[in-house]
Amino acid sequence: MQKKFEQVLMPVATKLANNVVLRSLRDGFLIITPLIIVTSIFLLIGNFPIPGWSDFWTGILGPKWTEWFSAVSDSVFSFTGLLACFGISYSYGKNRGLRAVHASAVAIVSFLIMTPTTVEVGKKTIGAVQTIYLGPNGIFLGLFTALISVELFRFAIKRNWTIKMPEGVPPAVSESFDALLPSGFVILIFFLVRVIFSLTDFGTAYNFIYTMLQAPLKNVGNSLPSVLLYNFLASLLWCFGINGPTITNSVWSPIFFVLTQDNLKAFQTGHELPHIYTQQFIDIFTTYGGGGSTLSLLIVMLFVCKSKRIRELGKLAIVPGIFGINEPIIFGLPVVLNPIIAIPFIIVPVLNTLISGIVFTLHWIPYTNGVMLPWTTPPLISGWLSTGSWLASVLQLFELILGVLIYYPFVKMLDKQYLNEEAAASQMDDVDIDFSNI
């Protein structure tokens, strides 16, 4: 059975992991993730989930104190589409062997060419760019613009549509002229695309992509079956030594990113939060202590098991595990290629997803607010901060205990096996070998 799984899954996982487009999407979002986490902290301070928090600081700093913090968070959250275009084009250009700076520069210009640049104010039309096109709603436009512009840029470079400068010219000047014709080619193509869309009912490429792709994909991704599949595949791949989220995020990341940004925008403006299945939902309410929700596994290892090997590993891994780092368990216990532990390792995150999805659907707990907490934030704290409700911490505690109960019989089997091995090794150490009669 295991060999069959490997034969089917390994080639697919390897192809996905090595696909340059999916890898660039994942790496591109990772480029802007630190900015999102840092500015989320400013947003969280400005909206800390404690009654009287805002009034307390207004009395000390004045009524404009929240604007100071919003200015920082808006600097990223109102431009996530533009930033996604930058990050993805940089990664894709680098992975395609181009000068990443030139690739991302031409992608940003292409994105702005596709962006509406006029606003109707009464009966007047003025030149301006609305952040609605540059923020979460523009993420898919940024994504496609990044990939297409870099591919066109590469197409021109490969055909030597460049201006070669004589020797002795400084490298910066030479590189600039190398990019001249390819950049002009990309800009010309996107200019024509903008003109073509202006002649259609959509009016802009933004309207076309949002209507035909972004909105439908959001609906598909924002569903319980989609998130169940995500966590099932991520856990299953870990069991074969493959970093599951690295593969699954390549496909789901753009969708979760958009859903999270929608909730964040609503949270900032005081509107009702629209989505359940955000990136926060995945990180905070489906796995505790890392993939497989191994914090529950660690609790069993520490407080129930008698095997010296398991207990010592549990002591070493418990602190990293609280902060979501579980590689010592995955490779040390091990989880990888271990059919006994693989069963609860897959079941627990999937069950957590199902329970959390039902709880949020029934509105027993407020939706996640979109504020990106550092992924090392421990459970119980993370639930409260991401929803503003202590009931979220109760849900996390319940799922942690449920995970302990599910892991218990499987870890006990492993514990018994290791105890027998340790006893056999101990007997071997106690055997006295007498060489006097030889």
Side-chain angles (χ1 to χ4, degrees):
M1 177 70 87
Q2 189 168 304
K3 282 185 177 178
K4 284 185 179 178
F5 268 119
E6 286 183 10
Q7 287 172 352
V8 174
L9 288 176
M10 286 296 285
V12 176
T14 304
K15 275 192 175 181
L16 286 173
N18 294 330
N19 184 279
V20 68
V21 173
L22 295 179
R23 189 152 42 94
S24 301
L25 290 178
R26 183 196 62 205
D27 295 346
F29 283 116
L30 286 177
I31 287 176
I32 62 175
T33 296
L35 301 174
I36 292 173
I37 292 175
V38 170
T39 50
S40 286
I41 293 171
F42 283 81
L43 180 64
L44 189 61
I45 293 172
N47 302 273
F48 210 66
I50 294 179
W53 173 266
S54 180
D55 294 338
F56 174 76
W57 287 109
T58 299
I60 296 175
L61 301 173
K64 291 191 175 180
W65 76 277
T66 53
E67 293 180 18
W68 305 339
F69 290 88
S70 296
V72 178
S73 54
D74 286 344
S75 67
V76 170
F77 301 134
S78 295
F79 301 94
T80 44
L82 186 66
L83 290 170
C85 180
F86 162 75
I88 294 166
S89 59
Y90 187 91
S91 298
Y92 194 50
K94 188 177 178 182
N95 290 333
R96 283 296 200 185
L98 302 173
R99 291 190 184 94
V101 172
H102 290 163
S104 58
V106 77
I108 291 292
V109 171
S110 302
F111 180 84
L112 294 174
I113 289 172
M114 306 299 284
T115 305
T117 50
T118 56
V119 178
E120 301 287 337
V121 181
K123 295 183 179 179
K124 291 185 179 179
T125 302
I126 62 172
V129 177
Q130 297 182 63
T131 54
I132 188 175
Y133 301 117
L134 307 177
N137 288 341
I139 287 173
F140 272 60
L141 176 63
L143 186 156
F144 285 110
T145 302
L147 296 177
I148 294 170
S149 64
V150 170
E151 204 54 50
L152 290 171
F153 191 76
R154 178 169 170 266
F155 175 85
I157 292 282
K158 282 183 70 175
R159 278 153 184 78
N160 290 319
W161 294 353
T162 57
I163 299 174
K164 294 295 180 187
M165 301 299 289
E167 291 185 6
V169 174
V173 176
S174 178
E175 289 174 6
S176 174
F177 273 85
D178 282 348
L180 184 64
L181 291 181
S183 299
F185 172 65
V186 177
I187 288 170
L188 176 63
I189 295 294
F190 275 88
F191 161 74
L192 294 174
V193 171
R194 173 167 180 144
V195 171
I196 291 170
F197 272 110
S198 70
L199 300 175
T200 68
D201 292 337
F202 291 104
T204 63
Y206 166 85
N207 287 336
F208 172 78
I209 290 177
Y210 187 82
T211 306
M212 302 300 292
L213 290 174
Q214 185 157 328
L217 282 175
K218 276 167 61 177
N219 291 333
V220 172
N222 188 28
S223 65
L224 184 57
S226 167
V227 183
L228 286 171
L229 180 64
Y230 168 90
N231 265 328
F232 171 77
L233 290 176
S235 303
L236 183 65
L237 290 168
W238 262 128
C239 293
F240 292 93
I242 302 165
N243 189 326
T246 303
I247 307 299
T248 51
N249 282 342
S250 302
V251 178
W252 271 274
S253 267
I255 299 171
F256 290 148
F257 190 77
V258 171
L259 296 171
T260 304
Q261 294 301 305
D262 283 350
N263 274 24
L264 183 65
K265 198 69 182 175
F267 178 64
Q268 283 179 298
T269 54
H271 290 92
E272 186 178 353
L273 302 174
H275 306 304
I276 296 176
Y277 303 107
T278 62
Q279 188 65 52
Q280 289 176 301
F281 177 89
I282 302 295
D283 295 340
I284 296 174
F285 293 101
T286 64
T287 56
Y288 305 103
S293 201
T294 48
L295 191 54
S296 299
L297 169 61
L298 271 168
I299 293 170
V300 179
M301 290 169 62
L302 273 176
F303 296 102
V304 177
C305 292
K306 296 177 181 176
S307 159
K308 188 176 178 182
R309 173 179 171 180
I310 292 181
R311 286 182 65 84
E312 290 300 319
L313 180 62
K315 289 176 187 174
L316 289 172
I318 186 64
V319 174
I322 291 171
F323 295 96
I325 300 166
N326 66 349
E327 276 78 1
I329 295 295
I330 287 179
F331 297 104
L333 188 59
V335 171
V336 175
L337 299 180
N338 186 334
I340 297 175
I341 297 300
I343 296 170
F345 188 86
I346 294 171
I347 289 175
V348 174
V350 170
L351 193 59
N352 288 345
T353 304
L354 183 63
I355 294 171
S356 299
I358 292 172
V359 168
F360 279 94
T361 302
L362 295 173
H363 298 283
W364 290 352
I365 294 174
Y367 294 176
T368 54
N369 52 28
V371 176
M372 288 289 285
L373 300 170
W375 62 275
T376 50
T377 307
L380 305 187
I381 299 173
S382 59
W384 171 58
L385 289 176
S386 64
T387 62
S389 170
W390 60 269
L391 288 173
S393 301
V394 174
L395 172 64
Q396 289 183 309
L397 181 62
F398 170 76
E399 291 179 339
L400 261 174
I401 295 171
L402 182 64
V404 168
L405 297 175
I406 295 172
Y407 267 112
Y408 176 81
F410 297 95
V411 181
K412 281 299 288 179
M413 276 193 279
L414 195 65
D415 186 45
K416 188 177 179 182
Q417 177 186 328
Y418 286 172
L419 276 174
N420 291 335
E421 291 175 3
E422 288 170 8
S426 177
Q427 287 177 356
M428 288 294 292
D429 291 341
D430 292 339
V431 173
D432 292 327
I433 302 176
D434 185 1
F435 294 97
S436 59
N437 296 325
I438 297 177

